[in-house]
Amino acid sequence: MAAQFGRRLAKGATTTAVAALAVAALSASQAPGVTADDNGRSTAAGAEASPDPSAGNGATGESPYYTDLPPLNTPSPAPTDGTSTSAPVESEAGIPATVLDAYKKAAAELQESKPGCNLPWQLLAAIGQVESGQARGGRVDADGTTTSRILGPQLDGNGFALIKDTDNGAYDGNSAYDSAVGPMQFIPSTWAWAGRDGNGDGVKDPNNVYDASLAAGHYLCRNGWDLSTDGDLDRAVLSYNPSRAYLNTVRSWLEYFRKGTHEIPDGTGTVPDSRSDGSGSSGSPSTPSSPSTPHTSKPSRPGSPSPTPPSTTPPSPGTPTTPPPTTPATPTQSVDHLADSGTAKLAAMAGDAFTEKISTKAENAAGKGVAKVRIRYTIVGDTDATFTGGEKVATALTDSSGVATAPALQAGETTGSFAVRATLIGRTVTGPIYSATVTQRVADTLVRTTDTALTCTPGGQFADAVQVKATYKKAVADKVAVTATLIKSADDATENDKGPYFKDADGKTVRTLTGLTTDADGLLKLPQLYSDDTTGTFVLRVTTAGGATLDVTLTVAAAADTSASPSPSPSASS
């Protein structure tokens, strides 16, 4: 949806004919289980009701939406139904950086909180494209809040649904009727229960792309829907806006984004041309066709005085007009480069969290820190390391001094070095690349879990198995590599060729075992020990990565003769 709408759906024969052609053109790709009523509205077999009675018209109150289809692969547009279309432009194929980040962050949160929903970020992108042209081409600040409010027409029943005011104008500036608000076009009554805080600032703002994207994700994931199935995906989208044409348009963009897209700087996207109410964009993304209410602060709470909407009355002929004020450069536009901000050496043992975090400073040309810009951190290289939460990509906002701190890194099991690249979201500027290293798991102490003497008779087997416990800095050392070798003596680590031994899978004698690892509790129980006919005292040496060593004494001796000697017979008396 564009900003506030000044034109309404004409009810003449021309518009009716165009609408009929549009429905006919879309009918071939109608979603399964969906039928249309006489007004082109859709009904879905098995579609479930909203969890809130006031949301019977979907999340948007059936407000108008953009009907432009994705760009074509061919240079010229495909045949149409007779209505005019403009050739696709390159920026239509990309998604503004902060908006894209919001979609991916919301999908990642839903993957963790509602994994059975299987929400793809591309579905949020498709809805964002149809509802607001990706927040009017990515006109958002570093927090993700739109630089001006995106409002739908007042839902007064005049060509649209009738929804009387539910928020005292707190979100839409209208205390008589509701309007859809923000980049995902929630009506206030739906936002009241569906709203989320997606950027962690403690406020649920429908004008914030992080908040709105997370809210849209939860809205689509309710009712136990699994969006990896066509039926549930259709039901979820139809619950957002119960229109067959809307569903088909969203699905077109979903498939388009699934085939790939790219990131473009904030504010450089284009606003689509055509809307479902018959109106369209002015063609300039920086000057939407209808005025928008300036949005410079968080929304007021329901019940607070509502802002007065700007006048839409054109000036009288001859009336001098004041030129619009020059838009000041945003913080993102003032960043000249990114620099390291005292990040210490990044190293961790496999499976552990890195104790040091990456810090990056955004600076302008004068070297002064720039606050409230968003920095993206991307892990690159052959590694299974992630940021806390399991993601390869994380974002952070710079503080008042211009410094952003990335979430903690979590080492995986792959050892070696990898890199973390810092980039500015919204613009391409020089950024540092941080090197990090994952070392193998180690132990510094190794002990037996019992002190039972280990003995065996020649040619027999030891009654007790050897079990050891590994620790590192007094903490359990799990998954540590262990080697066990039967050596000649404590002073000669050469593998012994006689005495105790292990057996391999084929039953053959082996006196060195490798590839052993401790369990989650740092414990390792060695295989059964046997002995040949050689008697004596032997040494089993157990070592770990990191240098922990334990020598275990093994004794092979003949069984003691415990039979009693016969008592002499008493002398016979003479």
Side-chain angles (χ1 to χ4, degrees):
M1 303 251 331
Q4 189 171 334
F5 297 95
R7 285 176 285 179
R8 300 292 172 80
L9 176 62
K11 300 189 184 296
T14 301
T15 303
T16 302
V18 171
L21 286 169
V23 171
L26 289 166
S27 61
S29 59
Q30 180 174 325
V34 181
T35 59
D37 60 21
D38 292 338
N39 297 317
R41 295 293 180 190
S42 65
T43 58
E48 299 180 56
S50 165
D52 187 278
S54 65
N57 299 103
T60 70
E62 300 182 35
S63 294
Y65 57 90
Y66 287 117
T67 59
D68 298 48
L69 295 177
L72 303 174
N73 293 328
T74 55
S76 59
T80 68
D81 58 5
T83 58
S84 62
T85 59
S86 58
V89 293
E90 176 64 21
S91 57
E92 288 179 348
I95 299 177
T98 298
V99 180
L100 178 61
D101 184 61
Y103 296 150
K104 291 185 175 181
K105 184 176 180 181
E109 194 277 341
L110 265 299
Q111 182 59 38
E112 183 175 346
S113 62
K114 296 182 179 179
C117 176
N118 295 305
L119 171 73
W121 68 260
Q122 292 91 340
L123 179 58
L124 296 176
I127 291 177
Q129 175 70 28
V130 170
E131 291 295 347
S132 67
Q134 311 297 11
R136 286 207 304 264
R139 279 151 180 81
V140 297
D141 61 20
D143 288 320
T145 303
T146 57
T147 54
S148 59
R149 289 186 181 179
I150 303 175
L151 295 176
Q154 67 176 12
L155 300 173
D156 57 4
N158 184 18
F160 307 107
L162 173 60
I163 302 180
K164 293 185 178 182
D165 176 66
T166 61
D167 66 332
N168 197 28
Y171 292 116
D172 53 19
N174 189 332
S175 59
Y177 301 97
D178 273 348
S179 295
V181 181
M184 301 304 269
Q185 288 291 274
F186 280 97
I187 54 175
S189 57
T190 302
W191 185 260
W193 58 264
R196 295 292 192 279
D197 176 17
N199 64 349
D201 64 356
V203 177
K204 299 175 183 178
D205 183 0
N207 300 288
N208 182 278
V209 70
Y210 287 95
D211 294 0
S213 297
L214 185 59
H218 279 279
Y219 186 96
L220 295 165
C221 285
R222 71 196 196 287
N223 296 335
W225 286 327
D226 178 0
L227 303 187
S228 66
T229 67
D230 286 339
D232 278 359
L233 189 146
D234 290 344
R235 281 186 277 273
V237 174
L238 285 168
S239 77
Y240 209 90
N241 186 321
S243 161
R244 178 183 60 188
Y246 180 88
L247 170 63
N248 289 333
T249 305
V250 168
R251 270 197 169 272
S252 295
W253 282 103
L254 170 61
E255 295 309 313
Y256 179 79
F257 290 134
R258 275 176 167 166
K259 293 176 182 177
T261 186
H262 62 278
E263 178 184 295
I264 60 176
D266 289 344
T268 64
T270 59
V271 179
D273 290 320
S274 304
R275 290 207 313 270
S276 60
D277 64 345
S279 62
S281 168
S282 65
S284 170
S286 60
T287 56
S289 60
S290 50
S292 59
T293 304
H295 182 65
T296 57
S297 61
K298 298 299 179 184
S300 57
R301 298 300 183 190
S304 60
S306 58
T308 302
S311 172
T312 59
T313 303
S316 302
T319 302
T321 58
T322 302
T326 302
T327 303
T330 64
T332 301
Q333 292 171 328
S334 66
V335 175
D336 178 73
H337 61 275
L338 303 179
D340 176 43
S341 184
T343 303
K345 182 180 179 180
L346 298 170
M349 194 163 58
D352 287 354
F354 284 71
T355 56
E356 301 294 336
K357 294 183 179 180
I358 297 173
S359 292
T360 308
K361 188 174 184 179
E363 297 180 342
N364 59 21
K368 184 178 179 181
V370 180
K372 289 192 173 182
V373 297
R374 196 170 292 275
I375 295 176
R376 176 184 294 120
Y377 297 95
T378 305
I379 296 174
V380 294
D382 182 16
T383 182
D384 55 354
T386 64
F387 290 104
T388 301
E391 296 298 318
K392 291 284 188 179
V393 179
T395 60
L397 197 67
T398 58
D399 60 18
S400 58
S401 62
V403 175
T405 302
L409 287 164
Q410 174 66 44
E413 296 302 320
T414 302
T415 59
S417 297
F418 64 93
V420 179
R421 181 179 293 116
T423 56
L424 180 69
I425 293 179
R427 286 184 54 231
T428 302
V429 299
T430 302
I433 298 177
Y434 300 87
S435 178
T437 304
V438 178
T439 59
Q440 66 178 339
R441 294 172 183 262
V442 298
D444 56 15
T445 304
L446 197 60
V447 297
R448 279 189 65 198
T449 57
T450 67
D451 56 3
T452 304
L454 298 168
T455 61
C456 176
T457 58
Q461 66 182 42
F462 288 81
D464 296 305
V466 177
Q467 180 171 273
V468 296
K469 182 173 183 177
T471 57
Y472 180 72
K473 295 182 178 179
K474 299 183 179 181
V476 167
D478 61 322
K479 298 182 181 179
V480 175
V482 176
T483 299
T485 305
L486 290 152
I487 60 177
K488 290 186 175 180
S489 69
D491 297 324
D492 185 355
T494 305
E495 180 183 283
N496 210 336
D497 56 359
K498 57 186 176 181
Y501 62 88
F502 300 104
K503 291 182 180 179
D504 64 12
D506 297 324
K508 296 180 180 178
T509 297
V510 291
R511 290 189 167 89
T512 298
L513 297 178
T514 59
L516 306 172
T517 57
T518 60
D519 64 14
D521 297 318
L523 298 174
L524 173 65
K525 188 174 184 178
L526 296 178
Q528 177 69 53
L529 274 164
Y530 303 87
S531 181
D532 59 17
D533 293 332
T534 308
T535 60
T537 300
F538 301 90
V539 178
L540 168 66
R541 176 163 291 176
V542 185
T543 60
T544 70
T549 301
L550 172 68
D551 284 348
V552 180
T553 300
L554 306 175
T555 302
V556 180
D561 186 1
T562 58
S563 59
S565 300
S567 300
S569 301
S571 300
S573 56
S574 52

